[in-house]
Amino acid sequence: LCLCLAGVLLAPGCRGAQGRFAYKLLHDLFANYSSALRPVEDTDRALNVTLQVTLSQIIDMDERNQVLTSYLWVRQAWLDAHLTWDKDDYDGIDSIRIPSSLVWRPDIILYNNADEHFGGSMETNVVLRSDGHIMWDSPAITKSSCKVDVSYFPFDGQRCRLTFGSWTYNGNQIDLRNRLDSGDLTDFVENVEWEVLGMPATRNVITYGCCSEPYPDVTFTLLLRRRASFYIFNLLLPCILVSFLAPLGFYLPADSGEKVSLGVTVLLALTVFQLLVAESMPPSESVPLIGEPRGAGASLGTGGAVPVPGGRAVMWGGGEDPLPGGRAVMWGGVGTAAGGCPWDHCLCHHDALLRNVGYIAGCFRRHRAHQRRTGEWKRVAKVMDRFFMWVFFLMVFLMSVLVLGNAA
C-alpha cells in the first residue's frame, strides 16, 4: 500500500506511482482539448471570471508624462467545464500545475496601458483542480496613464485608475467580477515618495460606441498621497529664506545703489526654484498654488525701487574754481591780470568780478534747488516703498492662506 501525507514519501514507489497517474491524467485531459474555444457547456451562458490584484510596489510616478509604473500580482480564476476528472481514478490527485499556454485563458488586459511595448503578464503556470476550477497568478510590471493634478504640490494627492477588462469578449460571454472590494496591499513595499491610502475596486458595465453589447470591467483606484518632507527641506525652506530678503529692498534708501541689485538677485533665486519645480511638473494649465506666492513676492519685491532724478554735482573746496571766459580767480592772494593792471588798485575787472560772483551764487542756488528736489523724490520713494511693502505682505498672507486652505 502506497501512503503519502503532506507531500512526504512514506512508502517506496509512492512518488513513482503519483508521477505515472499525473502523466496519465495530463494525457487524458488534453487528448481532445482545444485552448482556442471558450470552455462552457452552454455557449449561450456567460463564463464567470473573477479578478484580484495585489499591489507589490510603486516603481515610478512620472508626473510630467502622467504615467504610473507599478508592480502587480494579477490573479484570475474561472471554471473550465472541459478539464474535470474524478480524483479517485488518478490516485487521489486533486490538483495539478501546468503551463498556462495549455489551457484557455480570458484576454483580460489593462485598458489604460501606457507601455509602448504593451507587454502582458508572465507565462506562469496555472493551478487546475479536479472540479475544473483554474487559478492563474501572474506578476506584471504595468505602465498606466494617470491624470496628475499638481495644483497643491507638494501637498497633493493623486487618484490613479487601473482598469482591467476583456478585449474581445462582451458581457454576454464573460462576466468579469472583482473578487474583493479592494486591491490587496498586504505585501506592498513602502514607497519613499508616495503613501498609499487605499485601493478600492469597482465593477463597471459600459456600452461603447463601436458595439451594442455591454462590456464589464473592474477598476482599481489607487489613492496616493505625496510624502512632502523631502520637498519641504529641499525646496520650500530655501525658497522661504530667500523670500525673506525681498522685504529688505523696501528699507534700502532709493539712492543707495543696491536696491535694484538686491531685487534682481532675489528674483533670480526665486526663478531657479521655480525652474526646479517646473522640471518635474506636466506642461499643463494647472500651476501649483505654491508658486503663486513666489511669483507675487518676486514681482513686488523687485518693483519697489523708485529712481531719483540726477543733477550736476558741485564740489566746493580750496584752490581754483572754473569761471566763464577761461579765467581764474585766485582766492586769498594778489595777482595780476592779463593787461598788467594790479587787482588791488585797478577797477578794470569790476564787471568780470561781478559776473563771476553772480555765477557762483547761481551755482549755490541750483545746488540748493537740486537738493530740495532730491529730498522730495526721496520722500516720494520712501512713501511708495512703504506702500509696496504693505501690498507685498498682504499678497503673501492671502496667498499663503489660500494654499494652506486648499491643501487642508
Side-chain angles (χ1 to χ4, degrees):
L1 180 62
C2 181
L3 297 176
C4 290
L5 179 61
V8 179
L9 183 62
L10 299 181
C14 177
R15 182 176 299 174
Q18 285 278 345
R20 287 193 299 271
F21 279 110
Y23 182 83
K24 181 177 184 301
L25 172 61
L26 185 65
H27 180 269
D28 294 342
L29 287 177
F30 293 95
N32 297 312
Y33 180 82
S34 175
S35 61
L37 299 178
R38 189 166 55 98
V40 291
E41 295 290 350
D42 187 0
T43 56
D44 294 333
R45 299 185 62 180
L47 177 64
N48 294 326
V49 177
T50 60
L51 178 68
Q52 176 62 26
V53 169
T54 299
L55 178 63
S56 178
Q57 184 180 2
I58 295 177
I59 299 177
D60 180 48
M61 167 64 87
D62 189 353
E63 293 96 339
R64 188 168 186 85
N65 296 315
Q66 303 189 84
V67 174
L68 171 66
T69 304
S70 54
Y71 179 41
L72 306 176
W73 300 343
V74 182
R75 169 173 291 186
Q76 304 176 49
W78 65 94
L79 177 64
D80 194 321
H82 304 313
L83 295 179
T84 61
W85 71 90
D86 187 357
K87 58 183 179 181
D88 295 334
D89 296 338
Y90 297 93
D91 198 25
I93 297 178
D94 184 54
S95 63
I96 57 175
R97 287 159 177 81
I98 56 177
S100 59
S101 58
L102 297 179
V103 302
W104 176 90
R105 294 173 297 180
D107 56 346
I108 306 298
I109 65 170
L110 180 64
Y111 280 175
N112 56 331
N113 197 320
D115 192 355
E116 57 182 1
H117 301 293
F118 212 87
S121 304
M122 293 181 59
E123 294 293 332
T124 56
N125 290 340
V126 298
V127 179
L128 175 61
R129 301 185 63 86
S130 60
D131 55 0
H133 279 91
I134 296 179
M135 183 176 296
W136 182 27
D137 288 337
S138 61
I141 296 178
T142 62
K143 291 185 177 182
S144 57
S145 58
C146 177
K147 184 179 180 181
V148 178
D149 184 9
V150 294
S151 299
Y152 309 120
F153 174 86
F155 307 102
D156 57 328
Q158 306 298 334
R159 300 171 61 92
C160 295
R161 292 177 173 82
L162 302 170
T163 302
F164 294 88
S166 174
W167 189 252
T168 58
Y169 294 103
N170 56 52
N172 299 325
Q173 298 168 326
I174 287 183
D175 185 13
L176 181 63
R177 295 185 177 273
N178 49 301
R179 184 168 176 264
L180 299 175
D181 294 334
S182 64
D184 188 6
L185 301 176
T186 55
D187 297 317
F188 176 70
V189 179
E190 293 292 335
N191 188 268
V192 295
E193 185 178 2
W194 296 95
E195 179 183 0
V196 178
L197 302 180
M199 195 177 179
T202 57
R203 180 179 182 270
N204 308 295
V205 179
I206 302 176
T207 302
Y208 297 95
C210 65
C211 315
S212 58
E213 299 85 1
Y215 281 82
D217 65 67
V218 176
T219 300
F220 296 88
T221 304
L222 189 59
L223 306 179
L224 302 175
R225 183 171 61 189
R226 192 188 302 270
R227 301 180 188 271
S229 300
F230 173 82
Y231 299 97
I232 290 176
F233 289 102
N234 294 277
L235 182 63
L236 292 185
L237 288 183
C239 182
I240 292 174
L241 294 177
V242 173
S243 300
F244 281 151
L245 298 177
L248 297 179
F250 298 110
Y251 284 95
L252 288 178
D255 57 346
S256 63
E258 299 296 333
K259 194 177 185 69
V260 176
S261 300
L262 177 62
V264 172
T265 303
V266 173
L267 177 62
L268 292 177
L270 293 177
T271 302
V272 170
F273 287 112
Q274 190 73 23
L275 291 176
L276 292 177
V277 176
E279 286 181 356
S280 59
M281 296 296 102
S284 63
E285 295 182 356
S286 64
V287 180
L289 293 179
I290 199 170
E292 297 180 5
R294 291 202 304 268
S299 60
L300 292 175
T302 56
V306 179
V308 177
R312 183 173 54 186
V314 180
M315 302 300 295
W316 302 100
E320 297 182 349
D321 288 339
L323 297 177
R327 295 186 298 274
V329 177
M330 300 300 295
W331 304 98
V334 178
T336 58
C341 179
W343 287 0
D344 56 341
H345 299 290
C346 184
L347 299 177
C348 62
H349 295 290
H350 182 266
D351 295 336
L353 290 174
L354 292 177
R355 288 194 300 271
N356 291 335
V357 172
Y359 172 77
I360 294 173
C363 288
F364 272 111
R365 287 191 297 270
R366 288 192 296 271
H367 180 63
R368 286 194 296 267
H370 172 73
Q371 286 181 335
R372 287 193 300 269
R373 290 193 300 270
T374 301
E376 292 174 356
W377 279 107
K378 286 182 179 179
R379 287 191 293 270
V380 172
K382 186 176 182 180
V383 171
M384 295 186 66
D385 279 343
R386 296 301 182 268
F387 171 76
F388 281 115
M389 182 183 68
W390 287 111
V391 173
F392 171 81
F393 287 132
L394 180 62
M395 290 293 295
V396 171
F397 175 75
L398 293 178
M399 290 295 181
S400 301
V401 171
L402 177 63
V403 171
L404 294 177
N406 289 330

